């Protein structure tokens, strides 16, 4: 949880530089269906049965590239590289004939999200162009970097947001005009979300997007580890090179607000009775005899008045709130803004994980980060661990802290809907 100081101390060198690329896309005649070859982002797939389900949906599902399975990391990465090479040679994946940017639409019931996918010039946080808001785990970055080196490809886009002025000019205008045309592809994935993709290749429209985005900075909404991976691998290649850019989806949240959800924690080696036994008077603890939806409502009410968490794993729910103020003063660093010091994720990591439960936050043997609420509870009950359910933080809080150069604890937020993996890829060395 490093505090780098306000981003304003280092003015932005320039705005976003989004460049066209020749996308790699599935040949629909070579796969069962587009829905069957897509996947959620790699870090959302946490259950073994979810991975098996994706692998069995189609022999060419993108999960075989983003989460290859073998006995060693080296073998997994080699398998991904060989699979990608084979799919290219067999024509399962084909390269678009001309470079372009890609308008991408997701529709989930009444929620509509549109953005533009392209290759974004990489920049350090100190440049103030792309703002991270979370710390990363070094072992995850190392793992993703090894996979990227092996495949020489950006296999899935990051989700970045920026704030337009609400007008229908520039990028917004191109997106809306493009969405009226027949798409390159359209599919509905198993979760019920509809996806459509268009290529923008007209030089005038590309210039309109690039000029507009050149006046904006972006917030990393989802993909901090992949962004850190981009930066690490870029440093290994002399510039200029294709590695100076990374695959992203940019969404204007002034027009298309994202949903913000929490990322929950699963404490593998801490049973619920043990977690509760060491709390003492540090939190108020209430035992809830209620189903999960009602327990989450109680969490939301408690979180409106301060820090609150919901523990599960023993067949019941336990609501923790009203932390002892003296304990918070002792355990939370005082050299950060008040908005950071009062975050639920800050209190969880600094007070509960570090001080009370003594659980290392970067050890996969001790802690897992899971997006799905039900899956977190079920796994805790099955394995005898403790699920810590969180309440989401508002996007404006995240953006304000990022502009100050303040990073939130890792895996603090989940923005969505996230782009589906497998709709368009970017090759770096082909």
């Amino acid at each position: 949880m490093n505090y780098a100081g306000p981003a304003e101390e280092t003015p932005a060198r320039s705005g976003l530089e989004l460049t066209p690329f020749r996308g790699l896309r599935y040949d629909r005649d070579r796969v069962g269906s587009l829905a069957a070859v897509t996947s959620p982002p790699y870090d959302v797939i946490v259950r073994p049965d979810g991975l098996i389900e994706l692998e069995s949906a189609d022999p060419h599902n993108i999960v075989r590239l983003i989460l290859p399975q073998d006995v060693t990391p080296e073998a997994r990465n080699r398998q991904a590289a060989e699979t990608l090479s084979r799919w290219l040679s067999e024509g399962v994946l084909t390269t678009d004939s001309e470079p372009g940017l890609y308008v991408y639409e997701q529709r989930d019931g009444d929620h509509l999200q549109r953005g533009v996918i392209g290759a974004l010039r990489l920049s350090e946080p100190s440049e103030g162009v792309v703002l991270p808001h979370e710390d990363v785990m070094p072992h995850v970055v190392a793992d993703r970097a090894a996979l990227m080196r092996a495949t020489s490809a950006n296999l899935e886009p990051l989700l970045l947001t920026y704030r337009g002025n609400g007008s229908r000019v520039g990028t917004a205008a191109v997106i809306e005009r493009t969405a009226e045309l027949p798409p390159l592809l359209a599919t509905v994935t198993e979760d019920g979300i509809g996806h459509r993709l268009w290529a923008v290749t007209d030089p005038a429209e590309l210039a309109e997007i690039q000029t507009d985005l050149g006046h904006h900075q972006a917030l990393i909404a989802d993909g901090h580890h992949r962004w850190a991976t981009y930066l690490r691998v870029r440093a290994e290649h002399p510039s200029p090179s294709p590695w100076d850019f990374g695959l992203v989806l940019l969404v204007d949240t002034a027009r298309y607000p994202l949903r913000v959800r929490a990322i929950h924690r699963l404490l593998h080696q801490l049973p619920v009775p043990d977690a509760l036994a060491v709390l003492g008077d540090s939190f108020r603890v209430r035992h809830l005899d209620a189903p999960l939806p009602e327990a989450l409502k109680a969490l939301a009410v408690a979180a409106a008045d301060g820090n609150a968490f919901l523990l599960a794993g023993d067949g019941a729910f336990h609501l923790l709130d009203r932390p002892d103020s003296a304990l918070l003063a002792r355990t939370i660093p005082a050299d950060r803004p008040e908005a950071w010091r009062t975050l639920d994720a800050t209190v969880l990591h600094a007070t509960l994980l570090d001080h009370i439960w003594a659980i290392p936050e970067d050890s996969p043997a001790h802690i897992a980060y899971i997006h799905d609420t039900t899956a977190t509870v079920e796994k805790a009950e099955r394995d005898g661990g403790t699920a810590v359910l969180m309440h989401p933080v508002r996007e404006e809080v995240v953006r304000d802290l990022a502009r100050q150069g303040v990073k939130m604890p890792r895996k603090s937020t989940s923005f969505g809907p996230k782009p589906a993996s497998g709709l368009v890829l970017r090759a770096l060395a082909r």
Side-chain angles (χ1 to χ4, degrees), residues 151-411:
T151 58
S152 293
N154 297 154
L155 299 174
E156 44 186 350
L158 284 63
L159 175 59
L160 274 59
T161 72
Y162 68 101
R163 298 289 291 180
N165 58 13
S167 64
R168 285 177 173 261
V169 297
T171 306
V174 176
I175 287 175
E176 299 309 317
R177 290 196 302 266
T178 302
E180 296 177 356
L181 303 173
L184 285 177
L185 62 86
T187 189
V188 177
T189 45
E190 190 178 64
D191 54 11
I193 298 178
H195 306 263
R196 296 199 296 170
L197 189 78
W198 298 260
V200 178
T201 58
D202 179 80
E205 294 198 318
L206 292 174
E208 189 173 354
I209 292 174
Q210 292 170 314
T211 300
D212 177 38
L213 293 178
H215 299 291
H216 292 286
Q217 64 179 184
L219 174 75
I220 301 176
D222 184 71
H224 283 81
H225 288 89
R226 283 168 285 168
W227 184 261
T229 298
Y230 287 168
L231 295 177
R232 174 179 291 194
V233 180
R234 177 189 66 168
E236 302 167 359
H237 295 81
S239 185
S241 83
W243 301 88
D244 294 337
F245 298 82
L247 186 64
V248 306
L249 165 65
L250 279 163
V251 174
D252 176 4
T253 53
R255 292 187 59 79
Y256 298 105
L258 271 64
R259 295 169 174 164
V260 186
R261 294 189 172 97
I263 301 177
H264 311 295
R265 275 63 170 163
L266 174 61
L267 311 180
H268 297 297
Q269 301 181 26
L270 182 68
V272 173
D274 294 351
L276 295 172
V278 295
L279 288 176
D281 296 327
S282 57
F283 285 78
R284 181 176 69 168
V285 180
R286 287 178 284 168
H287 303 278
L288 305 180
D289 183 16
L292 178 58
E294 295 301 317
L296 290 174
K297 288 180 181 178
L299 173 63
V301 171
D305 293 327
N307 303 118
F309 311 94
L310 194 63
L311 305 191
D314 62 346
F317 295 101
H318 312 271
L319 182 62
L320 277 57
D321 65 353
R322 299 185 183 179
D324 178 69
S325 58
L327 175 64
L328 298 183
R330 292 197 310 271
T331 56
I332 295 177
D335 61 340
R336 315 290 176 87
E338 181 69 11
W340 182 92
R341 300 182 74 249
T342 55
L343 288 169
D344 285 343
T346 298
V347 174
L348 172 63
H349 284 258
T351 303
L352 282 168
L353 293 180
D354 294 351
H355 182 75
I356 295 178
W357 292 330
I359 292 176
E361 60 180 295
D362 58 353
S363 170
H366 290 85
I367 186 169
Y369 299 83
I370 304 179
H371 295 73
D372 184 84
T373 307
T374 301
T376 311
V377 174
E378 290 177 349
K379 189 164 179 58
E381 292 179 344
R382 184 168 60 248
D383 299 346
T386 294
V388 183
L389 306 183
M390 309 277 287
H391 188 68
V393 65
R394 300 189 314 278
E395 181 187 355
E396 54 265 33
V397 173
V398 177
R399 190 175 295 275
D400 181 61
L401 287 172
R403 284 174 174 156
Q404 296 179 60
V406 182
K407 290 184 179 180
M408 299 167 64
R410 59 195 58 168
K411 299 293 184 181

